[in-house]
Amino acid sequence: MLRTHTCGELNATNINQTVTLCGWIQKVRKLGGMIFIDLRDRYGITQLAFNNETNAALCQQVEKFGREWVIRVTGLVAERYSKNKNIPTGDIEIIASEVEVLNESMTPPFTIEDESDGGDELRMKYRYLDLRRNPVKNNILFRHRLAIEIRNYMNNIGFVEIETPFMIKSTPEGARDFVVPSRMNPGEFYALPQSPQTFKQLLMVSGFDRYFQIVRCFRDEDLRADRQPEFTQIDCEMSFVEQEDILNTFEGLIKHIFKKIKNIDIDPIERMTWADAMKYYGSDKPDARFGMRFVELNDVTQHKEFKIFNEAELVVGIVAKGCANYTRKQLDGLVDFVRRPQVGAGGLVYVLCNQDGTFKSSVDKFYDQNDLKAIAAKCNAEAGDLILIMSGPRMKTQKQLCELRLEMGTRLGLRKAGEYKLLWVIDFPLLEWDEETQRFYAMHHPFTAPKPEHEAILESNPGAVNANAYDLVINGTEVGGGSIRIHDRQLQNRMFKVLGFTDEEAQKQFGFLMNAFQYGAPPHGGLAFGFDRMCAVLSDCDSIRDFIAFPKNNSGRDMMIDAPSTISDAQLQELFISVNTKQE
Amino acid sequence: MLRTHTCGELNATNINQTVTLCGWIQKVRKLGGMIFIDLRDRYGITQLAFNNETNAALCQQVEKFGREWVIRVTGLVAERYSKNKNIPTGDIEIIASEVEVLNESMTPPFTIEDESDGGDELRMKYRYLDLRRNPVKNNILFRHRLAIEIRNYMNNIGFVEIETPFMIKSTPEGARDFVVPSRMNPGEFYALPQSPQTFKQLLMVSGFDRYFQIVRCFRDEDLRADRQPEFTQIDCEMSFVEQEDILNTFEGLIKHIFKKIKNIDIDPIERMTWADAMKYYGSDKPDARFGMRFVELNDVTQHKEFKIFNEAELVVGIVAKGCANYTRKQLDGLVDFVRRPQVGAGGLVYVLCNQDGTFKSSVDKFYDQNDLKAIAAKCNAEAGDLILIMSGPRMKTQKQLCELRLEMGTRLGLRKAGEYKLLWVIDFPLLEWDEETQRFYAMHHPFTAPKPEHEAILESNPGAVNANAYDLVINGTEVGGGSIRIHDRQLQNRMFKVLGFTDEEAQKQFGFLMNAFQYGAPPHGGLAFGFDRMCAVLSDCDSIRDFIAFPKNNSGRDMMIDAPSTISDAQLQELFISVNTKQE
């Protein structure tokens, strides 16, 4: 090894040892007759000291060194005069006697500091330099530690990690596939997997009974903020289980992770039906760190002349505790918030519950004090509280009020970093209706089993069928989800029919799975966690990009390597394809 | 859970317990008034007993059951009359009281037994059934166990697993890339990585200093036997090291694996230069489980009238101990062997060293007893041995004799399963000359560093430059290889020039890496193991396919899911490509 120690490990116990370190120059400082260098590697920073009086030649050499040069230094560990309590190596420094430049460096395009002066795009382009910064580096180390913990936990409870293929078959269901032209099979394409869903089900048919995999998945979607075309999933499946067994098994994993990684003992995870989540939070992934639950107000609002409420399918409110003192400006700010295109509401009705027991609302014209009192009573609002009310079509209004609730939670400091509230959201609908294409789509995927008691109405009333499907939600973020699968070929056929597949389409896309189900498929189910997302949520970060070593930007472009790129005509010809950049 | 126990865990200590098992029916036997079922799951087989006298209704139900049905059984654990010593559950059986059919099964297309009656193609098509067979299942479990051991070992010595992207940039160097058309960047393509080579080097530039990843790689090659378009690599890289450090670090890993997985203490791994490997074994991956080293015989053969030897660049032989009693038929068989197109030799000269001290050869016409004695002496052959001699151009003849040596090793039982001989082959040439394209190619890859003492002749005599490159060879199979990398931008530029890249090409393909090297690249190096191959070698298996859950056939086709396949016109249009199946 070119070094005897790393830059993060020397302390007072090493004083008087001769050591050799390698690393990057974080900083060079001249102080009287001394030059000090902060030498950095993955493990920390160690101070090097060069004395002009005792070793002028060395100082002359070192003077020319710049930031981010890579050097190798030999010297004596000595006690420092002015100790730095902020770093583990702060008690010592190295009195350098020998220096070798391993590589010079141009001045980096942004500072390699915890708070860098580089913008997003510049840091993406020089990602290899951005990765030197502590916050980014620590995220990648955190991700590694999390993966190791997960793998060992899963292994210890009998799960087998099995690698499934990356070059599979394109299926039109779900998101768009990335495809790979086959040179050996002209005119044919592989698809990159959106998930190993069918393979893990086949592994259950094979009898592997407890499978997991930390695996890359691919979706060719229009990238919204914080979506990546390739992302990593913790993919899991079990046989001979019911929903309850799966929830318990993975609650164990989650508890283990929180204990090992965050040293937090989490409570038993609360269960909430999808219907309740929508009704009380307007979302299938409620941030349950705070209450502020929805209260439906149709009965106490729809008896007056206020047309907007009277005509609304839903009138629904939340209570912001202690906000009755909001100024007109603050209230207008909330109206502006819900009118933003991202929320898209027409407006907002407020009721201030004054300390003196009176009420003041933006619809005083229609509602007298008694009416407002009734609304406040229904909401369990007290003197000093602010009631915020929205109305309109049910789903749309719920979603809008959900945004407002989260905004209020943020404003009131109720969404605390370091506090974790976990939820199992259960009993999802099996299907959702799409207005545009006028057909049902699977809410999870076409292999999700309807609840046994709903099987009979699958064809007659598909929209009313619930599924044995579940999501894990942490602080308002869906970190995973899954379902009990269909293991019966007949039922799977019925499901495909409801989804509008012809027999031929179903056979072409999923024939292998249907065939497999004829040879003794066990009852099974599973789930998948978004690994990037889990890293982010556990670190109280918003962006998954911070936890991916080499992420892509919103156009799916790797700014650093400049991919995708054109390929040669010879390559295209070998693949039997040509490019039509002018779209018809 | 639908079961209380698995089919592999019950024994005499469980007698009189009521248990519930789930599994697949391996066999149904009727014996007098009894029906016996062997119930199978991933963990083993347990015998179920149904008594017609005590429970006729149940027997009537069970009678209809067929192979591979999935059932759930509740009953009492009882001691067996005729115990089966071959299985852990052989002391007990379950006196069944309740049975539920979880799923029926059609008769499988081949028997689910250790020795199946199904041919390769049938078993590939029904891979999910083939995976139920013990030998295949155990390979997959073995692979999992090996991966866990490797990950924990690497983690314990400070290596960080970092996921690198799968959608990268196509580079014409090396094998052919699989490419992925980009919908968002019309006319542009991603490439699937042949290895994370450049990314791991960038991670060294980032300072991660000890990286590894068990990662899928992709190569669009014409598939020879036992190549797969997607395969898995244990990819590793370290900074601030020299070759010796890398060899020692990964020797540690290999020792750990052998100890943990095979309970074998392996000797310190022998080092052999590439030149010696070629000279003594005619291969850069010698099977060193047996000797039979090459002896160059030019000096003792090229003084007579035998034109073939006199005109040959190389005359080289091996000694087959104790084979002087080979019959004419056996000797002819060896001649036939070397004449097979796979070996491609014109013929073979033999010298029998008779027990009485005389010699008999196929070239007695040219060589008298003294000549043959000199040859035998040079070969260290003794009475009773057989000398086999080949001649021709050096490299070609070495390769041919290598094939013969391996064949003799096999015939003489010298390549023993369960015996492992490991080798580091070192000092590879940096470049190899390609006659067809009349240029040098990198023997490992373009980032491999020349030996420092050879740097000066990189341009003047490229063919003579050796590299700090190394392969790990086990029993004649290359299981891994790597090198010290170039970390200096200037040297890397020179290397690209020698490889025939223009500045523009080098910049276009590897600009990001060249740029990165300007910002303080540390000295670094690494290696990669073929994970599929390692699984196979450690299991004394020839085929990596046996260790891949869902492999592809030699046309790169997944027979089970029938991929690749055509995609819709809409998909093609979205991707701005069209298919030309008629090749120009």
Side-chain angles (χ1 to χ4, degrees):
Chain A
M1 306 281 173
L2 299 186
R3 60 189 174 193
T4 58
H5 295 79
T6 70
C7 296
E9 63 181 306
L10 296 171
N11 56 43
T13 64
N14 302 97
I15 285 169
N16 281 327
Q17 288 178 13
T18 297
V19 299
T20 301
L21 301 182
C22 293
W24 287 261
I25 294 179
Q26 179 76 25
K27 212 181 278 176
V28 183
R29 274 165 302 147
K30 290 181 206 176
L31 218 76
M34 300 289 292
I35 298 177
F36 294 101
I37 289 182
D38 281 351
L39 191 68
R40 187 197 69 233
D41 67 9
R42 175 184 138 196
Y43 310 90
I45 282 183
T46 300
Q47 177 167 297
L48 314 174
F50 301 82
N51 191 327
N52 201 25
E53 276 177 39
T54 58
N55 201 334
L58 198 64
C59 277
Q60 227 174 342
Q61 188 192 350
V62 166
E63 242 175 3
K64 284 174 275 173
F65 292 180
R67 277 198 291 135
E68 301 304 318
W69 286 33
V70 189
I71 61 171
R72 181 189 192 202
V73 180
T74 299
L76 207 66
V77 183
E79 192 174 358
R80 239 159 108 166
Y81 286 104
S82 59
K83 300 197 169 56
N84 180 347
K85 297 281 169 217
N86 298 321
I87 55 173
T89 62
D91 285 352
I92 58 97
E93 63 187 4
I94 312 295
I95 309 297
S97 53
E98 226 177 290
V99 177
E100 181 188 350
V101 175
L102 297 173
N103 220 337
E104 300 188 5
S105 172
M106 304 209 315
T107 304
F110 50 85
T111 54
I112 312 294
E113 305 278 355
D114 289 7
E115 297 289 330
S116 174
D117 59 357
D120 261 8
E121 236 176 85
L122 196 64
R123 287 189 291 108
M124 283 283 271
K125 183 168 174 197
Y126 294 90
R127 182 67 170 178
Y128 47 86
L129 296 181
D130 205 27
L131 285 166
R132 287 187 188 164
R133 296 172 52 238
N134 280 323
V136 188
K137 179 194 77 182
N138 289 337
N139 285 347
I140 303 300
L141 297 176
F142 177 82
R143 183 183 177 109
H144 162 68
R145 216 151 57 84
L146 189 54
I148 284 273
E149 282 300 337
I150 291 168
R151 281 201 163 93
N152 284 326
Y153 183 88
M154 296 303 285
N155 179 53
N156 286 337
I157 61 171
F159 280 76
V160 185
E161 186 161 27
I162 301 176
E163 295 179 51
T164 51
F166 278 33
M167 288 164 53
I168 64 166
K169 188 171 174 155
S170 186
T171 59
E173 195 65 358
R176 223 181 266 109
D177 284 322
F178 284 106
V179 298
V180 180
S182 167
R183 182 179 54 86
M184 291 212 270
N185 304 274
E188 298 191 331
F189 293 77
Y190 303 96
L192 301 180
Q194 295 182 28
S195 87
Q197 183 63 35
T198 49
F199 290 96
K200 68 176 174 178
Q201 294 194 245
L202 289 171
L203 287 171
M204 295 305 108
V205 175
S206 294
F208 279 97
D209 106 7
R210 291 186 158 213
Y211 145 92
F212 84 106
Q213 192 182 187
I214 300 185
V215 62
R216 201 73 52 86
C217 301
F218 306 86
R219 283 183 203 172
D220 186 9
E221 292 175 296
D222 295 316
L223 301 175
R224 284 176 284 161
D226 215 29
R227 282 272 180 92
Q228 288 279 317
E230 45 177 317
F231 56 95
T232 301
Q233 212 165 268
I234 310 166
D235 194 48
C236 310
E237 197 79 4
M238 302 172 77
S239 291
F240 305 121
V241 291
E242 292 167 317
Q243 172 169 307
E244 195 60 25
D245 303 313
I246 295 182
L247 299 190
N248 290 334
T249 301
F250 293 97
E251 191 155 330
L253 169 67
I254 297 295
K255 277 194 166 148
H256 174 81
I257 290 172
F258 268 90
K259 187 64 189 170
K260 279 289 222 176
I261 299 279
K262 315 274 308 176
N263 197 26
I264 292 176
D265 293 295
I266 56 166
D267 297 329
I269 300 178
E270 192 190 319
R271 313 266 175 99
M272 187 182 291
T273 64
W274 179 85
D276 279 353
M278 293 307 293
K279 181 169 180 177
Y280 295 117
Y281 299 93
S283 167
D284 57 6
K285 40 180 194 284
D287 184 345
R289 276 176 296 184
F290 64 109
M292 214 185 278
R293 286 161 61 124
F294 290 12
V295 182
E296 300 197 358
L297 300 171
N298 291 38
D299 56 350
V300 289
T301 58
Q302 293 186 328
H303 60 292
K304 289 288 170 121
E305 301 297 295
F306 189 44
K307 234 176 111 180
I308 293 177
F309 280 3
N310 289 347
E311 288 174 356
E313 184 186 0
L314 178 68
V315 181
V316 59
I318 51 174
V319 176
K321 295 302 290 177
C323 294
N325 58 352
Y326 261 38
T327 62
R328 183 58 194 251
K329 201 178 156 196
Q330 283 177 300
L331 292 167
D332 285 347
L334 294 181
V335 174
D336 289 345
F337 174 81
V338 300
R339 283 187 174 150
R340 290 166 39 174
Q342 297 95 317
V343 182
L348 175 66
V349 166
Y350 61 82
V351 179
L352 300 160
C353 308
N354 296 322
Q355 293 292 357
D356 63 4
T358 64
F359 300 92
K360 169 89 192 89
S361 91
S362 54
V363 286
D364 283 347
K365 210 160 92 185
F366 303 106
Y367 298 91
D368 61 24
Q369 289 290 314
N370 272 338
D371 295 326
L372 297 175
K373 193 173 180 177
I375 292 172
K378 178 98 190 197
C379 291
N380 275 321
E382 297 171 317
D385 293 349
L386 166 66
I387 306 172
L388 300 166
I389 305 173
M390 298 178 79
S391 65
R394 171 168 288 273
M395 289 279 273
K396 197 173 152 194
T397 307
Q398 284 174 333
K399 278 188 186 157
Q400 291 166 346
L401 189 61
C402 169
E403 294 296 330
L404 181 62
R405 174 181 171 273
L406 292 174
E407 174 67 16
M408 290 308 296
T410 304
R411 289 189 185 201
L412 297 174
L414 303 173
R415 305 174 74 185
K416 295 197 190 82
E419 189 180 316
Y420 299 96
K421 178 65 188 179
L422 291 77
L423 275 185
W424 285 115
V425 177
I426 57 173
D427 296 351
F428 274 78
L430 182 67
L431 304 159
E432 54 188 344
W433 180 255
D434 183 61
E435 278 299 330
E436 200 181 318
T437 53
Q438 289 285 307
R439 54 163 279 207
F440 280 105
Y441 282 88
M443 199 144 181
H444 271 69
H445 51 58
F447 314 111
T448 297
K451 285 194 174 283
E453 62 271 29
H454 291 180
E455 266 182 40
I457 57 164
L458 182 58
E459 289 82 3
S460 58
N461 190 5
V465 175
N466 278 352
N468 274 325
Y470 32 80
D471 276 358
L472 180 69
V473 175
I474 304 182
N475 294 355
T477 299
E478 181 210 320
V479 296
S483 63
I484 297 294
R485 325 300 184 187
I486 299 169
H487 67 281
D488 175 71
R489 187 189 155 108
Q490 262 66 47
L491 183 57
Q492 187 68 66
N493 276 342
R494 286 171 61 194
M495 181 70 177
F496 282 138
K497 279 224 172 62
V498 170
L499 291 172
F501 282 79
T502 65
D503 281 351
E504 291 69 38
E505 282 166 348
Q507 188 56 37
K508 181 159 188 260
Q509 301 301 332
F510 301 109
F512 58 98
L513 191 66
M514 297 299 87
N515 286 342
F517 280 7
Q518 294 182 301
Y519 293 100
H524 62 286
L527 49 58
F529 296 104
F531 185 50
D532 315 281
R533 181 74 54 205
M534 187 185 276
C535 291
V537 168
L538 288 174
S539 306
D540 295 304
C541 272
D542 285 332
S543 168
I544 65 169
R545 201 181 281 181
D546 298 341
F547 293 83
I548 296 173
F550 300 103
K552 294 186 175 58
N553 74 6
N554 281 348
S555 324
R557 182 163 282 283
D558 185 322
M559 301 288 283
M560 181 187 68
I561 64 173
D562 195 25
S565 63
T566 55
I567 59 175
S568 71
D569 289 342
Q571 276 177 292
L572 291 171
Q573 217 172 326
E574 270 195 327
L575 296 170
F576 305 95
I577 56 172
S578 53
V579 166
N580 329 307
T581 32
K582 278 184 231 129
Q583 199 165 23
E584 291 130 77
Chain B
M1 306 278 174
L2 300 185
R3 61 190 173 192
T4 58
H5 295 78
T6 71
C7 296
E9 63 182 306
L10 296 170
N11 56 43
T13 65
N14 302 98
I15 285 168
N16 282 327
Q17 289 177 14
T18 298
V19 299
T20 302
L21 302 182
C22 293
W24 286 261
I25 294 178
Q26 179 77 26
K27 213 182 277 175
V28 183
R29 274 165 303 147
K30 291 182 205 174
L31 219 77
M34 300 289 292
I35 298 177
F36 294 102
I37 289 183
D38 282 351
L39 192 68
R40 186 196 70 232
D41 67 10
R42 174 183 141 197
Y43 310 90
I45 282 183
T46 299
Q47 177 167 297
L48 314 175
F50 301 83
N51 192 326
N52 202 24
E53 275 178 38
T54 58
N55 201 335
L58 198 62
C59 278
Q60 225 173 343
Q61 187 192 349
V62 165
E63 241 175 3
K64 285 174 274 170
F65 292 179
R67 277 198 291 135
E68 302 305 318
W69 285 33
V70 189
I71 61 171
R72 182 187 190 202
V73 180
T74 300
L76 206 65
V77 183
E79 190 173 357
R80 238 158 108 166
Y81 285 107
S82 59
K83 299 197 169 54
N84 180 347
K85 297 280 168 216
N86 298 322
I87 56 173
T89 61
D91 285 353
I92 58 96
E93 64 187 5
I94 313 295
I95 310 296
S97 54
E98 226 177 291
V99 176
E100 181 188 349
V101 175
L102 297 173
N103 220 337
E104 299 188 5
S105 172
M106 304 209 316
T107 304
F110 50 85
T111 54
I112 311 294
E113 303 278 355
D114 289 6
E115 298 288 331
S116 174
D117 59 357
D120 261 7
E121 236 177 86
L122 197 63
R123 287 188 292 108
M124 284 282 271
K125 183 166 176 198
Y126 294 89
R127 182 67 170 179
Y128 47 87
L129 296 180
D130 204 27
L131 284 166
R132 287 186 188 165
R133 296 172 52 238
N134 280 324
V136 188
K137 178 194 76 180
N138 288 337
N139 285 347
I140 303 300
L141 297 177
F142 177 82
R143 182 184 178 107
H144 161 68
R145 215 152 56 87
L146 189 54
I148 284 274
E149 283 300 338
I150 290 168
R151 282 201 163 94
N152 284 326
Y153 183 88
M154 296 303 283
N155 179 54
N156 287 337
I157 61 172
F159 280 76
V160 185
E161 186 160 27
I162 301 176
E163 295 180 51
T164 51
F166 278 35
M167 288 164 56
I168 64 167
K169 188 170 173 154
S170 186
T171 60
E173 196 65 356
R176 223 181 268 107
D177 284 322
F178 284 106
V179 298
V180 181
S182 167
R183 183 179 54 86
M184 291 213 269
N185 304 275
E188 298 191 330
F189 293 77
Y190 303 96
L192 301 181
Q194 295 182 29
S195 87
Q197 183 63 34
T198 48
F199 289 96
K200 69 177 173 177
Q201 295 194 243
L202 289 171
L203 287 171
M204 295 304 109
V205 175
S206 295
F208 279 98
D209 110 3
R210 291 187 158 211
Y211 145 93
F212 85 106
Q213 191 182 186
I214 301 186
V215 61
R216 201 72 52 84
C217 300
F218 306 86
R219 281 181 205 174
D220 186 10
E221 293 174 297
D222 294 318
L223 300 176
R224 285 176 283 161
D226 215 28
R227 282 270 180 95
Q228 288 280 318
E230 45 177 318
F231 56 97
T232 302
Q233 213 166 268
I234 310 166
D235 193 49
C236 310
E237 198 80 4
M238 302 171 77
S239 291
F240 305 121
V241 290
E242 292 167 315
Q243 172 170 306
E244 196 59 26
D245 304 314
I246 295 181
L247 299 190
N248 290 335
T249 300
F250 292 97
E251 191 156 330
L253 170 67
I254 296 295
K255 277 194 167 148
H256 175 81
I257 291 171
F258 269 90
K259 187 63 191 173
K260 279 289 223 175
I261 299 279
K262 315 275 306 177
N263 198 25
I264 292 176
D265 293 294
I266 56 166
D267 296 330
I269 301 178
E270 192 189 321
R271 312 268 174 100
M272 187 181 290
T273 64
W274 179 85
D276 278 354
M278 294 307 294
K279 181 169 181 177
Y280 295 118
Y281 299 94
S283 167
D284 57 5
K285 40 178 194 281
D287 185 346
R289 275 177 297 185
F290 65 108
M292 214 184 276
R293 286 161 63 124
F294 289 11
V295 183
E296 300 197 0
L297 300 170
N298 291 37
D299 57 349
V300 290
T301 58
Q302 293 188 329
H303 59 290
K304 289 288 170 120
E305 301 297 294
F306 190 44
K307 233 175 109 180
I308 292 175
F309 279 3
N310 289 347
E311 289 173 357
E313 185 186 1
L314 179 69
V315 182
V316 59
I318 51 173
V319 176
K321 296 300 292 177
C323 293
N325 58 353
Y326 261 38
T327 63
R328 182 60 193 250
K329 199 175 159 199
Q330 283 176 300
L331 293 166
D332 285 346
L334 294 181
V335 174
D336 289 344
F337 174 81
V338 301
R339 283 185 174 150
R340 288 165 40 172
Q342 298 95 315
V343 183
L348 175 66
V349 166
Y350 60 82
V351 179
L352 299 160
C353 308
N354 296 323
Q355 292 291 358
D356 62 5
T358 65
F359 300 92
K360 169 87 191 89
S361 92
S362 54
V363 287
D364 282 347
K365 208 159 92 182
F366 304 105
Y367 298 92
D368 62 23
Q369 288 290 312
N370 273 338
D371 296 326
L372 296 175
K373 192 172 183 181
I375 291 172
K378 178 97 189 193
C379 291
N380 275 320
E382 298 172 315
D385 292 348
L386 167 66
I387 306 172
L388 300 167
I389 305 174
M390 299 179 78
S391 66
R394 172 169 287 272
M395 289 279 274
K396 196 174 151 193
T397 307
Q398 284 173 333
K399 279 188 185 158
Q400 290 165 348
L401 188 60
C402 169
E403 294 296 329
L404 182 62
R405 175 181 171 273
L406 292 174
E407 174 67 17
M408 290 309 296
T410 303
R411 288 189 186 200
L412 297 174
L414 302 173
R415 305 174 74 185
K416 294 195 190 83
E419 190 180 315
Y420 299 95
K421 178 65 189 177
L422 290 78
L423 275 185
W424 285 114
V425 177
I426 57 173
D427 296 352
F428 274 79
L430 181 68
L431 304 159
E432 55 187 345
W433 180 254
D434 183 62
E435 278 300 331
E436 201 181 317
T437 53
Q438 288 285 306
R439 55 162 278 206
F440 280 104
Y441 282 88
M443 200 144 178
H444 270 70
H445 51 59
F447 314 111
T448 296
K451 284 193 175 286
E453 61 271 28
H454 290 181
E455 266 182 41
I457 58 164
L458 182 57
E459 288 83 4
S460 58
N461 190 5
V465 176
N466 277 352
N468 275 325
Y470 32 81
D471 275 357
L472 180 70
V473 175
I474 303 182
N475 294 355
T477 299
E478 180 210 322
V479 295
S483 63
I484 296 294
R485 324 301 183 186
I486 299 170
H487 68 281
D488 176 70
R489 188 191 154 108
Q490 263 66 46
L491 183 58
Q492 185 68 67
N493 276 342
R494 286 171 61 195
M495 181 69 177
F496 282 139
K497 280 223 173 62
V498 170
L499 291 173
F501 282 78
T502 65
D503 282 351
E504 291 67 39
E505 282 167 348
Q507 188 57 37
K508 182 159 187 261
Q509 301 302 331
F510 300 109
F512 58 98
L513 190 66
M514 296 299 87
N515 287 341
F517 280 7
Q518 295 182 301
Y519 293 100
H524 62 286
L527 49 58
F529 296 104
F531 185 51
D532 315 283
R533 180 75 54 206
M534 188 184 275
C535 291
V537 168
L538 288 175
S539 306
D540 295 303
C541 271
D542 285 331
S543 168
I544 64 169
R545 201 180 283 181
D546 297 342
F547 293 83
I548 296 174
F550 300 103
K552 295 186 174 56
N553 74 6
N554 281 348
S555 322
R557 182 163 282 283
D558 185 321
M559 303 287 283
M560 180 187 70
I561 64 172
D562 195 25
S565 63
T566 55
I567 59 175
S568 71
D569 289 341
Q571 274 176 294
L572 291 170
Q573 217 173 324
E574 270 195 325
L575 296 170
F576 305 95
I577 57 173
S578 54
V579 165
N580 328 307
T581 33
K582 278 186 231 129
Q583 199 165 22
E584 290 130 79

